[in-house]
Every structure is written in structure tokens, then in C-alpha cells.
Amino acid sequence: MYKLAMHRLGHSALLIFGVVTVIFFTNFLLGDPVRVMLPASTPPEAVEEFRRQMGFDRPILVQYWDFISHAVFLDFGDSWWQKSPSLEIALRPFPATLQLGIVAVALASILGIGIGLFAGARPGSLWDKLATSLSILGVSLPLIWFTLMMALIFSVWLGILPTAGYGTAAHMVLPVVTLAALPLGRTVQITRASIIDELAKPYITTAHSKGLSERTIILRHALRNALPPIATEIGWESALLLTGYSIIVESVYGWPGFGFALYHAILTRDMPVIIAMAFVAAMVVVFINVIVDIIYVIADPTIRKK
Amino acid sequence: MNMSKTASTTPGRPIRSVGRILRFLSDFSRDKYATVALVVFVVLVLSSIFANLVAPHDPLKLDLLNRLAPPVWVEGGSWKYIFGTDLLGRDILSRCIYGGRMSLGIGFAVILIGGTFGSLMGLLAGYLGGRFDAVLMRYIDFQISIPYFLLALTIMAAIGPGTKNLIIVLSIGSWPLFARYARSIMMSLRQQVFIEAARVAGGKEIVIMTRHVLPNILSPLVTLTSLELSRIVLTEATMSYLGMGVRAPTPAWGLMVQEAHDYLMIANWAVTTPGVFIMITTLSINIFATRLRISTDPLQRGKH
């Protein structure tokens, strides 16, 4: 168990280091920082002068070493547009997204596992067909369109929810619902599939012959064994929610969160901020992986002995 | 699914004869959801290919006197522009049909590049094993944990938006999935009894690969490809919507949604219609893929 944990820790450190490195090189090799920072009308001599002053004329590996030796002390440099540390800028919008993300993931997990169990326990029934159809609908939704349609229906036509903004619980409804739709569909599909697989196994027959109730069999035995793939899926969706879905949802609903800030940083090519945000995202991925690992251990105690 | 009809196809046995394929087709056509989904998808693909014949108008032609004309069923709409026009008076239906050419074209291109490369790498890794396999899998684990959108958007912002660049970036994001899948199938197939039997009987490697292995991995690969295609169509729409994909004035669904975004209150049809086109595409692909998995995977059969 201890060895396994250390192995995972090393893996996580490598992941964070790798993500930051990849984002550094895509930014600095594919784009010219000087051309981003100066207006196009700057005379060429001034451009070269500036390049030298900023140290962008040094070999890329030297720049990388300079960057990484500061980054290990959590210094990612200052933002090019806002004169404050990039990590600060990357972390400032984070709580707002966490607020949405936690509610959305909780909603998708509880509803998704519930519906998936219900459908998987009765394959072929009317309820199962309904759940399967809705889950396919959920994973087919184009988020860029769905967010706008929800705003049109609930804010413009019905007028019961605010179009955009931040503050009250009412402002959270549309972002949460749109963020949860896709993960919900996926969770229903994966829960249903794994519970059907589990229910076909011999230990379920044993449980039946022992006279256990249907409820106990599904909730205490089948679900526990079906949990690992479900946890992996939800973890995966949570990571995607932070760096993918949130960009769309927060832009459309004007939610001052991580996705919104990330998109802004990418549009303005603010490289230090992009790298700092990649670092934050990688940390979150690692944190999610730890939670998924804990769920694995809870579901399967034999891991503890390894 | 009717169990008695399909029970003769035991798990792991290759589909070889024409009779088997015909039986599969008749099984499949009995599934009305899958058939409808497939027909819808084929219609979308055909209308994209023959967009110049099907579309009623030129998708780029402006009609500034008829800007934001409503669709035919709304008061003030006319049959000239069935789904209405956008801010520059361009016919939305025609733009959606041509947009399909763009979105599906990109989707198929990415599948072709990422799918071919990924499957080959995966099959090779599964077949060779050893160090090649270990290194490849390590790399794939790493790439999958990188926040994909962040990387894709950063690359697109650096190299500039455009169709070609978008195809490259989407292919990079897509191949590991195929590699993983192809590898896992290869691994499990290597241990199957019928492969062992073919080898013991003195079958040449190449014959074993094409006659016994390929038919078996075909249907799971088709399922994966379909699901991946729907995901790529969604990603492409998102990237174009964010201004990091197809460039205006080329019609593409995601771009159309973005262009009409600000006029949602006064001309919702300009947003609704391209969105519905995306939705119909992803829905038909997803329904088809889900049903295909059920009708070709013998282990899944009893479950519906």
C-alpha cells in the first residue's frame, strides 16, 4: 500500500512537470512572444532591442531552464498584460469555478449513478429504455448550442432565470445544469453497463440463494464492485469540466471563473498565465486521481495488501 | 434483440462468409432505431458531398435586403429562405448543408489520420509487445492526462486558426484512443483459442492477421470510430465557435452559432438551426454506434 502510494506520488509529480513542459514548449516554439507583446508598428530595431532586454533571444533550452528553476518555487513570472504574478491570476477565478464544478459533478454523479442502477437492474424495461435514450441525448448535446438554448428558453421566453452574471443561487442554475448534462449522460451509460456486467456474475447468484433482498444485492454487492469504472469516468469528466466545458459555459453565462479566464489568457496569448493555468489544471487532475484511487481502495480492499 | 436468431454466432468466431454478413444486415435492419439513425446519417453525408446540388442558394451570397429573415413557419418568413437568413442575408439552410461538408469533412479527415495511425500503432504494440509496447502505453497515459482543450486551444492560438491546422490538432488528440483500443483487442485476440488453433494448423502470420484477426476487430473498431466521429464533430464545433477553428466566411456549424450568438434575442433561428444540425449528426451517430455494439457484440446481446 505504502509502495503503491509512493509510486503514484512520483507519477503525479511527473505528470505536472510534463504538462507544464509541454505547454511551455508549444507556447515558446510555436509563437513569438515579442510579436505578441509589441504592436505590429514597432520598428524592427526596437523589437530586437526588446527581445534582448527580455531575454527571449537566448536559446530555448536556457529560457526553459530559467523558467523551470523559478517554477519549482511556484514563481511562473508576471502576466504580460496585467502586472501581477501569473499564478495569482490563475488562482483568482478558481473558487468561482469550483463552486459550479462541485455542484455539477455532485448532481451528475448522484443522479447518474441512481438512474444507471435503476436502469441496469431492469434491462429491457420501459424505464431502462427511457434512461438509455436520455443518456444518448445527453452525450450528443453540443454545449455551445445547449447553453444558448437554455438561456433563450428560461431567461428570454419564460423569464424565470437571469441570463448571465454571478452572485445569487438563481445565477447558478443554468451553468450547473448545462455543465452537468454531458457527465450525467456518460455516468448513466457507464453505471448501467457495469451493473449489468456485475449482475451476471456468479456471486450474485450466491447472494440470491442466501436470501438477500434485491436492494441489498444491488446496493451493497453489485454497486461496490461496479464502482471503479464509474469513479474513473466521473474523475475524467470532472477534469474535462474544469478545462473544457467551463470555457463555453462561463463565457456564455458571464461566470467569472477559471474557464473564462483561461480563454481570455489564450486569446491575449498571455503565455505566463497560460502556463500557470496549465499547472493549476494539472494539480486538479492529480487531486482527482487521488480521490479516484481512494474510491478504488474502498471498493476493492485487496489493493491495500499490494 | 432476438436471442435465438443470433445464438449461432458464438463469441470470438470470425464472421467469414457472405451468409453471415447478410444475416448481420438483416439483424441490423430489424432494429428500427439503428436503421433510422443510419439512414439519417447517410442522408447528412450525401447532402454534404452533393451540397452544390442540394443547397437552394449559394452559401456565401449576401442578400442585404433580406437580412435576418425569419424561417417560413414564422410570420414574415417566405419559401425563398426556408430556415431564414443570417445577419448578412445568407441562406441558413444552404449554409448548414455546406457547413456539414466542413464539419463532417473535418471529422472524417481526423478519423482517417488519427484512426489509421493510432490503430496501426496499437496493433503493432499489441503484436510486438516488449519495449515498444511499454513506451507507447506510457506516452499515451501521459497524453490522455494532459488537459486536452487547454493544449488544443494553445496550439491553435499559436499556429493560427484554419481548417488544416484544426485537422492536425484534432488528429493529435484522437490517435491515442485508437491505439489503446486496437492494442487491447489485439492482446485479447492473441490469447483466443481460434488464433492459437490457426497457428497450430500452420497458418501463415499474414493470413492469420487478415482472415482471422481483422474480421474480429472490425465491428468494435467501427463502434469506436463512430463514437469518436461524434466527439470530433462536437470538438470541431466548439473550436470553431471559440474562433480557433474554421475561419469565416466558410460555413461551419460551430462558426454559424458563434456568428449569430449576439442576435439570439431577435433572430434565434440563426443559432437554433445550425445547432439542430450538429445535434442530429451526433445523435444519429451515437444511436447507430450504441445499437451496432449491441447487435455485433455477442456478449452484449441478452442485455437489450
Side-chain angles (χ1 to χ4, degrees):
Chain A
M1 183 65 193
Y2 177 73
K3 226 174 133 185
L4 191 74
M6 285 322 278
H7 177 81
R8 299 294 278 174
L9 196 70
H11 195 86
S12 304
L14 210 65
L15 172 71
I16 293 170
F17 175 75
V19 167
V20 168
T21 304
V22 167
I23 297 292
F24 177 89
F25 281 106
T26 43
N27 267 300
F28 280 83
L29 283 182
L30 295 177
D32 182 0
V34 177
R35 211 171 302 158
V36 176
M37 290 166 87
L38 296 176
S41 57
T42 321
E45 311 88 65
V47 170
E48 288 316 308
E49 173 69 20
F50 182 71
R51 191 189 297 279
R52 229 181 354 265
Q53 284 169 345
M54 293 296 285
F56 291 134
D57 58 335
R58 295 171 299 165
I60 184 82
L61 285 177
V62 175
Q63 290 185 53
Y64 175 65
W65 172 251
D66 189 39
F67 158 76
I68 211 81
S69 55
H70 285 94
V72 288
F73 300 109
L74 297 181
D75 173 13
F76 291 87
D78 281 358
S79 155
W80 289 349
W81 305 117
Q82 315 166 46
K83 294 290 170 208
S84 50
S86 352
L87 191 61
E88 220 169 81
I89 294 173
L91 285 172
R92 204 179 298 143
F94 194 71
T97 297
L98 206 60
Q99 202 181 332
L100 286 186
I102 288 177
V103 181
V105 169
L107 192 73
S109 313
I110 296 168
L111 273 181
I113 294 177
I115 296 173
L117 280 181
F118 194 78
R122 304 162 183 74
S125 69
L126 189 67
W127 289 110
D128 176 42
K129 283 183 181 136
L130 193 69
T132 312
S133 311
L134 282 178
S135 68
I136 293 182
L137 193 70
V139 299
S140 304
L141 277 175
L143 205 51
I144 51 170
W145 175 75
F146 185 50
T147 47
L148 292 173
M149 287 300 110
M150 294 295 276
L152 187 67
I153 295 169
F154 290 100
S155 313
V156 182
W157 289 347
L158 299 178
I160 48 176
L161 289 169
T163 342
Y166 176 72
T168 67
H171 286 104
M172 276 183 75
V173 176
L174 288 183
V176 163
V177 169
T178 46
L179 277 176
L182 239 136
L184 176 64
R186 289 259 157 73
T187 312
V188 169
Q189 288 183 333
I190 204 112
T191 309
R192 179 183 173 279
S194 13
I195 213 75
I196 288 175
D197 278 348
E198 285 307 320
L199 288 179
K201 288 187 178 162
Y203 73 84
I204 297 293
T205 319
T206 313
H208 272 295
S209 50
K210 262 167 50 179
L212 296 181
S213 73
E214 192 69 32
R215 195 192 157 87
T216 318
I217 291 174
I218 290 176
L219 290 181
R220 296 210 54 147
H221 298 270
L223 177 61
R224 187 167 178 162
N225 284 302
L227 212 52
I230 301 171
T232 308
E233 178 62 31
I234 292 174
W236 172 253
E237 288 290 330
S238 313
L240 205 59
L241 190 143
L242 177 72
T243 53
Y245 308 147
S246 70
I247 296 177
I248 306 291
V249 170
E250 290 175 359
S251 304
V252 170
Y253 297 127
W255 189 269
F258 191 79
F260 189 71
L262 177 63
Y263 184 49
H264 183 76
I266 288 171
L267 277 187
T268 54
R269 309 285 315 279
D270 198 340
M271 296 181 193
V273 176
I274 296 175
I275 297 171
M277 295 193 97
F279 171 75
V280 174
M283 291 288 278
V284 174
V285 171
V286 165
F287 180 71
I288 290 169
N289 286 347
V290 169
I291 294 181
V292 171
D293 280 346
I294 292 173
I295 293 175
Y296 266 72
V297 174
I298 293 171
D300 180 7
T302 57
I303 295 177
R304 245 172 268 171
K305 297 200 184 86
K306 280 179 194 156
Chain B
M1 288 306 294
N2 188 337
M3 281 295 283
S4 62
K5 282 270 184 271
T6 53
S8 60
T9 322
T10 43
R13 225 160 105 200
I15 303 166
R16 236 177 298 171
S17 60
V18 179
R20 283 255 171 88
I21 293 169
L22 283 180
R23 174 132 36 108
F24 164 70
L25 281 178
S26 81
D27 261 4
F28 193 78
S29 66
R30 206 166 294 149
D31 186 340
K32 54 181 186 292
Y33 297 104
T35 314
V36 169
L38 187 63
V39 168
V40 168
F41 182 67
V42 168
V43 168
L44 275 168
V45 171
L46 288 179
S47 73
S48 304
I49 295 173
F50 301 107
N52 46 345
L53 301 176
V54 184
H57 297 273
D58 179 347
L60 299 176
K61 192 172 169 294
L62 313 182
D63 183 356
L64 294 176
L65 289 178
N66 280 309
R67 289 184 302 155
L68 297 179
V72 66
W73 57 88
V74 176
E75 213 187 307
S78 78
W79 280 103
K80 193 176 174 205
Y81 301 115
I82 298 174
F83 287 158
T85 61
D86 68 4
L87 188 72
L88 295 171
R90 295 173 295 195
D91 181 37
I92 288 177
L93 175 61
S94 304
R95 285 182 71 75
C96 281
I97 294 172
Y98 274 91
R101 191 181 257 191
M102 214 57 212
S103 299
L104 288 171
I106 291 175
F108 280 118
V110 171
I111 292 284
L112 201 67
I113 300 170
T116 312
F117 181 70
S119 305
L120 278 177
M121 293 300 264
L123 288 179
L124 220 60
Y127 198 73
L128 295 174
R131 183 173 287 176
F132 180 77
D133 182 37
V135 171
L136 190 77
M137 284 305 115
R138 258 290 151 85
Y139 170 74
I140 286 175
D141 278 346
F142 170 67
Q143 200 197 307
I144 286 178
S145 21
I146 301 180
Y148 174 70
F149 254 94
L150 200 157
L151 184 66
L153 288 173
T154 315
I155 298 179
M156 287 306 286
I159 62 179
T163 311
K164 207 172 73 194
N165 291 347
L166 186 63
I167 291 176
I168 296 172
V169 168
L170 290 176
S171 301
I172 294 173
S174 184
W175 78 268
L177 230 117
F178 286 97
R180 248 193 188 177
Y181 206 67
R183 174 183 174 272
S184 75
I185 290 165
M186 193 72 202
M187 298 289 256
S188 65
L189 273 177
R190 276 174 65 188
Q191 285 147 18
Q192 294 274 353
V193 182
F194 73 88
I195 300 285
E196 205 59 53
R199 202 165 281 154
V200 171
K204 286 204 188 85
E205 286 291 320
I206 183 81
V207 178
I208 293 174
M209 290 289 280
T210 51
R211 281 207 58 146
H212 302 283
V213 176
L214 201 65
N216 273 284
I217 60 174
L218 219 52
S219 83
L221 265 183
V222 169
T223 310
L224 175 76
T225 309
S226 326
L227 292 177
E228 190 56 10
L229 181 65
S230 121
R231 203 188 58 82
I232 292 166
V233 168
L234 285 182
T235 314
E236 181 274 322
T238 307
M239 298 288 280
S240 298
Y241 173 86
L242 292 174
M244 300 284 174
V246 178
R247 270 187 292 193
T250 314
W253 295 330
L255 193 59
M256 290 174 71
V257 173
Q258 189 264 321
E259 286 167 347
H261 182 168
D262 294 340
Y263 310 95
L264 181 67
M265 314 272 184
I266 49 172
N268 62 64
W269 54 87
V271 172
T272 318
T273 318
V276 168
F277 268 82
I278 304 176
M279 184 87 189
I280 292 173
T281 310
T282 52
L283 255 184
S284 65
I285 299 173
N286 280 331
I287 293 174
F288 169 74
T290 315
R291 308 303 294 198
L292 179 74
R293 182 159 50 197
I294 298 162
S295 56
T296 54
D297 182 356
L299 296 173
Q300 286 262 338
R301 272 184 184 142
K303 295 173 188 171
H304 287 257

mmCIF file of all heavy atoms in Angstrom, chain A residues 126-140 185 188-189 192, chain B residues 33 279 283 287 290-291:
data_model
loop_
_atom_site.group_PDB
_atom_site.id
_atom_site.type_symbol
_atom_site.label_atom_id
_atom_site.label_comp_id
_atom_site.label_asym_id
_atom_site.label_seq_id
_atom_site.Cartn_x
_atom_site.Cartn_y
_atom_site.Cartn_z
ATOM 1 N N LEU A 126 -39.215 -0.527 -19.702
ATOM 2 C CA LEU A 126 -39.556 0.779 -20.247
ATOM 3 C C LEU A 126 -38.648 1.857 -19.645
ATOM 4 O O LEU A 126 -38.158 2.746 -20.334
ATOM 5 C CB LEU A 126 -41.025 1.093 -19.946
ATOM 6 C CG LEU A 126 -41.571 2.325 -20.652
ATOM 7 C CD1 LEU A 126 -41.647 2.095 -22.149
ATOM 8 C CD2 LEU A 126 -42.940 2.701 -20.102
ATOM 9 N N TRP A 127 -38.398 1.752 -18.311
ATOM 10 C CA TRP A 127 -37.561 2.727 -17.623
ATOM 11 C C TRP A 127 -36.139 2.700 -18.159
ATOM 12 O O TRP A 127 -35.498 3.729 -18.311
ATOM 13 C CB TRP A 127 -37.540 2.460 -16.121
ATOM 14 C CG TRP A 127 -38.835 2.786 -15.474
ATOM 15 C CD1 TRP A 127 -39.731 1.911 -14.950
ATOM 16 C CD2 TRP A 127 -39.400 4.091 -15.320
ATOM 17 N NE1 TRP A 127 -40.825 2.586 -14.473
ATOM 18 C CE2 TRP A 127 -40.647 3.929 -14.682
ATOM 19 C CE3 TRP A 127 -38.975 5.377 -15.668
ATOM 20 C CZ2 TRP A 127 -41.482 5.006 -14.385
ATOM 21 C CZ3 TRP A 127 -39.790 6.442 -15.376
ATOM 22 C CH2 TRP A 127 -41.034 6.255 -14.733
ATOM 23 N N ASP A 128 -35.679 1.470 -18.432
ATOM 24 C CA ASP A 128 -34.336 1.321 -18.959
ATOM 25 C C ASP A 128 -34.229 1.984 -20.318
ATOM 26 O O ASP A 128 -33.274 2.703 -20.605
ATOM 27 C CB ASP A 128 -33.990 -0.172 -19.078
ATOM 28 C CG ASP A 128 -32.631 -0.391 -19.708
ATOM 29 O OD1 ASP A 128 -31.711 0.354 -19.351
ATOM 30 O OD2 ASP A 128 -32.505 -1.285 -20.555
ATOM 31 N N LYS A 129 -35.242 1.760 -21.155
ATOM 32 C CA LYS A 129 -35.217 2.363 -22.497
ATOM 33 C C LYS A 129 -35.205 3.879 -22.401
ATOM 34 O O LYS A 129 -34.477 4.563 -23.122
ATOM 35 C CB LYS A 129 -36.414 1.882 -23.317
ATOM 36 C CG LYS A 129 -36.193 0.472 -23.832
ATOM 37 C CD LYS A 129 -37.321 -0.002 -24.714
ATOM 38 C CE LYS A 129 -37.051 -1.412 -25.180
ATOM 39 N NZ LYS A 129 -38.248 -2.263 -25.097
ATOM 40 N N LEU A 130 -36.023 4.391 -21.483
ATOM 41 C CA LEU A 130 -36.099 5.840 -21.294
ATOM 42 C C LEU A 130 -34.738 6.386 -20.846
ATOM 43 O O LEU A 130 -34.242 7.385 -21.381
ATOM 44 C CB LEU A 130 -37.174 6.162 -20.250
ATOM 45 C CG LEU A 130 -37.590 7.622 -20.148
ATOM 46 C CD1 LEU A 130 -38.355 8.040 -21.387
ATOM 47 C CD2 LEU A 130 -38.431 7.857 -18.901
ATOM 48 N N ALA A 131 -34.139 5.701 -19.856
ATOM 49 C CA ALA A 131 -32.852 6.163 -19.326
ATOM 50 C C ALA A 131 -31.771 6.111 -20.398
ATOM 51 O O ALA A 131 -30.968 7.040 -20.538
ATOM 52 C CB ALA A 131 -32.438 5.310 -18.131
ATOM 53 N N THR A 132 -31.766 5.003 -21.182
ATOM 54 C CA THR A 132 -30.767 4.878 -22.245
ATOM 55 C C THR A 132 -30.927 5.989 -23.280
ATOM 56 O O THR A 132 -29.952 6.611 -23.695
ATOM 57 C CB THR A 132 -30.891 3.504 -22.934
ATOM 58 O OG1 THR A 132 -30.955 2.499 -21.925
ATOM 59 C CG2 THR A 132 -29.723 3.224 -23.818
ATOM 60 N N SER A 133 -32.196 6.247 -23.676
ATOM 61 C CA SER A 133 -32.429 7.288 -24.680
ATOM 62 C C SER A 133 -31.965 8.639 -24.160
ATOM 63 O O SER A 133 -31.292 9.392 -24.866
ATOM 64 C CB SER A 133 -33.909 7.385 -25.033
ATOM 65 O OG SER A 133 -34.410 6.112 -25.304
ATOM 66 N N LEU A 134 -32.315 8.951 -22.911
ATOM 67 C CA LEU A 134 -31.922 10.248 -22.355
ATOM 68 C C LEU A 134 -30.412 10.377 -22.240
ATOM 69 O O LEU A 134 -29.860 11.453 -22.458
ATOM 70 C CB LEU A 134 -32.581 10.458 -20.984
ATOM 71 C CG LEU A 134 -34.048 10.862 -21.042
ATOM 72 C CD1 LEU A 134 -34.620 10.987 -19.642
ATOM 73 C CD2 LEU A 134 -34.219 12.176 -21.799
ATOM 74 N N SER A 135 -29.734 9.265 -21.909
ATOM 75 C CA SER A 135 -28.288 9.350 -21.774
ATOM 76 C C SER A 135 -27.634 9.576 -23.136
ATOM 77 O O SER A 135 -26.656 10.318 -23.244
ATOM 78 C CB SER A 135 -27.727 8.100 -21.107
ATOM 79 O OG SER A 135 -27.864 6.994 -21.950
ATOM 80 N N ILE A 136 -28.188 8.957 -24.191
ATOM 81 C CA ILE A 136 -27.648 9.200 -25.533
ATOM 82 C C ILE A 136 -27.864 10.667 -25.905
ATOM 83 O O ILE A 136 -26.988 11.330 -26.457
ATOM 84 C CB ILE A 136 -28.293 8.265 -26.582
ATOM 85 C CG1 ILE A 136 -27.887 6.824 -26.314
ATOM 86 C CG2 ILE A 136 -27.881 8.670 -27.988
ATOM 87 C CD1 ILE A 136 -28.416 5.830 -27.299
ATOM 88 N N LEU A 137 -29.048 11.190 -25.562
ATOM 89 C CA LEU A 137 -29.339 12.603 -25.814
ATOM 90 C C LEU A 137 -28.307 13.469 -25.096
ATOM 91 O O LEU A 137 -27.765 14.420 -25.657
ATOM 92 C CB LEU A 137 -30.746 12.930 -25.322
ATOM 93 C CG LEU A 137 -31.332 14.253 -25.779
ATOM 94 C CD1 LEU A 137 -31.649 14.211 -27.255
ATOM 95 C CD2 LEU A 137 -32.577 14.593 -24.982
ATOM 96 N N GLY A 138 -28.026 13.125 -23.829
ATOM 97 C CA GLY A 138 -27.082 13.910 -23.032
ATOM 98 C C GLY A 138 -25.699 13.977 -23.643
ATOM 99 O O GLY A 138 -25.098 15.047 -23.707
ATOM 100 N N VAL A 139 -25.191 12.822 -24.136
ATOM 101 C CA VAL A 139 -23.835 12.840 -24.676
ATOM 102 C C VAL A 139 -23.786 13.415 -26.091
ATOM 103 O O VAL A 139 -22.710 13.692 -26.599
ATOM 104 C CB VAL A 139 -23.163 11.440 -24.657
ATOM 105 C CG1 VAL A 139 -23.063 10.924 -23.241
ATOM 106 C CG2 VAL A 139 -23.910 10.463 -25.531
ATOM 107 N N SER A 140 -24.963 13.599 -26.714
ATOM 108 C CA SER A 140 -24.963 14.152 -28.067
ATOM 109 C C SER A 140 -25.109 15.666 -28.074
ATOM 110 O O SER A 140 -24.999 16.299 -29.118
ATOM 111 C CB SER A 140 -26.111 13.555 -28.890
ATOM 112 O OG SER A 140 -26.030 12.167 -28.904
ATOM 113 N N GLY A 185 -25.052 12.076 -18.700
ATOM 114 C CA GLY A 185 -25.295 11.059 -19.731
ATOM 115 C C GLY A 185 -24.247 9.958 -19.677
ATOM 116 O O GLY A 185 -24.558 8.772 -19.705
ATOM 117 N N VAL A 188 -24.636 7.724 -16.505
ATOM 118 C CA VAL A 188 -25.735 6.769 -16.643
ATOM 119 C C VAL A 188 -25.282 5.593 -17.497
ATOM 120 O O VAL A 188 -25.462 4.426 -17.120
ATOM 121 C CB VAL A 188 -26.983 7.437 -17.271
ATOM 122 C CG1 VAL A 188 -28.018 6.396 -17.652
ATOM 123 C CG2 VAL A 188 -27.572 8.460 -16.320
ATOM 124 N N GLN A 189 -24.638 5.880 -18.641
ATOM 125 C CA GLN A 189 -24.220 4.805 -19.549
ATOM 126 C C GLN A 189 -23.251 3.844 -18.872
ATOM 127 O O GLN A 189 -23.415 2.631 -18.946
ATOM 128 C CB GLN A 189 -23.562 5.407 -20.796
ATOM 129 C CG GLN A 189 -24.561 6.075 -21.718
ATOM 130 C CD GLN A 189 -23.923 6.609 -22.972
ATOM 131 O OE1 GLN A 189 -22.748 6.939 -22.998
ATOM 132 N NE2 GLN A 189 -24.723 6.730 -24.033
ATOM 133 N N ARG A 192 -24.864 1.863 -15.878
ATOM 134 C CA ARG A 192 -25.773 0.845 -16.376
ATOM 135 C C ARG A 192 -24.986 -0.355 -16.913
ATOM 136 O O ARG A 192 -25.257 -1.506 -16.562
ATOM 137 C CB ARG A 192 -26.642 1.452 -17.480
ATOM 138 C CG ARG A 192 -27.595 0.487 -18.093
ATOM 139 C CD ARG A 192 -28.376 1.131 -19.216
ATOM 140 N NE ARG A 192 -29.165 0.122 -19.872
ATOM 141 C CZ ARG A 192 -28.681 -0.702 -20.790
ATOM 142 N NH1 ARG A 192 -27.423 -0.631 -21.136
ATOM 143 N NH2 ARG A 192 -29.459 -1.626 -21.325
ATOM 144 N N TYR B 33 -34.458 1.621 -34.675
ATOM 145 C CA TYR B 33 -33.722 2.824 -34.252
ATOM 146 C C TYR B 33 -32.417 2.950 -35.017
ATOM 147 O O TYR B 33 -32.059 4.007 -35.532
ATOM 148 C CB TYR B 33 -33.412 2.769 -32.762
ATOM 149 C CG TYR B 33 -34.635 2.765 -31.891
ATOM 150 C CD1 TYR B 33 -35.076 1.600 -31.283
ATOM 151 C CD2 TYR B 33 -35.353 3.943 -31.696
ATOM 152 C CE1 TYR B 33 -36.205 1.595 -30.491
ATOM 153 C CE2 TYR B 33 -36.488 3.946 -30.903
ATOM 154 C CZ TYR B 33 -36.908 2.764 -30.298
ATOM 155 O OH TYR B 33 -38.019 2.769 -29.525
ATOM 156 N N MET B 279 -26.745 18.548 -33.598
ATOM 157 C CA MET B 279 -27.445 17.610 -32.717
ATOM 158 C C MET B 279 -27.910 16.373 -33.491
ATOM 159 O O MET B 279 -27.743 15.255 -33.023
ATOM 160 C CB MET B 279 -28.646 18.367 -32.129
ATOM 161 C CG MET B 279 -29.428 17.607 -31.151
ATOM 162 S SD MET B 279 -28.700 17.833 -29.534
ATOM 163 C CE MET B 279 -29.654 16.628 -28.657
ATOM 164 N N LEU B 283 -26.491 12.764 -32.617
ATOM 165 C CA LEU B 283 -27.496 11.792 -32.168
ATOM 166 C C LEU B 283 -27.525 10.579 -33.078
ATOM 167 O O LEU B 283 -27.511 9.444 -32.594
ATOM 168 C CB LEU B 283 -28.879 12.449 -32.170
ATOM 169 C CG LEU B 283 -29.485 12.830 -30.836
ATOM 170 C CD1 LEU B 283 -30.889 13.367 -31.049
ATOM 171 C CD2 LEU B 283 -29.529 11.647 -29.879
ATOM 172 N N ILE B 287 -26.616 6.918 -31.674
ATOM 173 C CA ILE B 287 -27.627 5.849 -31.658
ATOM 174 C C ILE B 287 -27.126 4.669 -32.489
ATOM 175 O O ILE B 287 -27.152 3.517 -32.050
ATOM 176 C CB ILE B 287 -28.978 6.354 -32.200
ATOM 177 C CG1 ILE B 287 -29.568 7.389 -31.236
ATOM 178 C CG2 ILE B 287 -29.959 5.195 -32.400
ATOM 179 C CD1 ILE B 287 -30.813 8.059 -31.740
ATOM 180 N N THR B 290 -24.316 2.812 -30.581
ATOM 181 C CA THR B 290 -24.816 2.048 -29.434
ATOM 182 C C THR B 290 -25.515 0.782 -29.895
ATOM 183 O O THR B 290 -25.304 -0.300 -29.346
ATOM 184 C CB THR B 290 -25.795 2.914 -28.619
ATOM 185 O OG1 THR B 290 -25.236 4.206 -28.461
ATOM 186 C CG2 THR B 290 -26.062 2.306 -27.269
ATOM 187 N N ARG B 291 -26.358 0.905 -30.919
ATOM 188 C CA ARG B 291 -27.091 -0.268 -31.404
ATOM 189 C C ARG B 291 -26.162 -1.254 -32.102
ATOM 190 O O ARG B 291 -26.357 -2.462 -32.007
ATOM 191 C CB ARG B 291 -28.223 0.137 -32.363
ATOM 192 C CG ARG B 291 -29.164 1.187 -31.834
ATOM 193 C CD ARG B 291 -29.828 0.819 -30.545
ATOM 194 N NE ARG B 291 -30.740 -0.296 -30.662
ATOM 195 C CZ ARG B 291 -31.684 -0.584 -29.766
ATOM 196 N NH1 ARG B 291 -31.820 0.189 -28.698
ATOM 197 N NH2 ARG B 291 -32.472 -1.616 -29.915
#
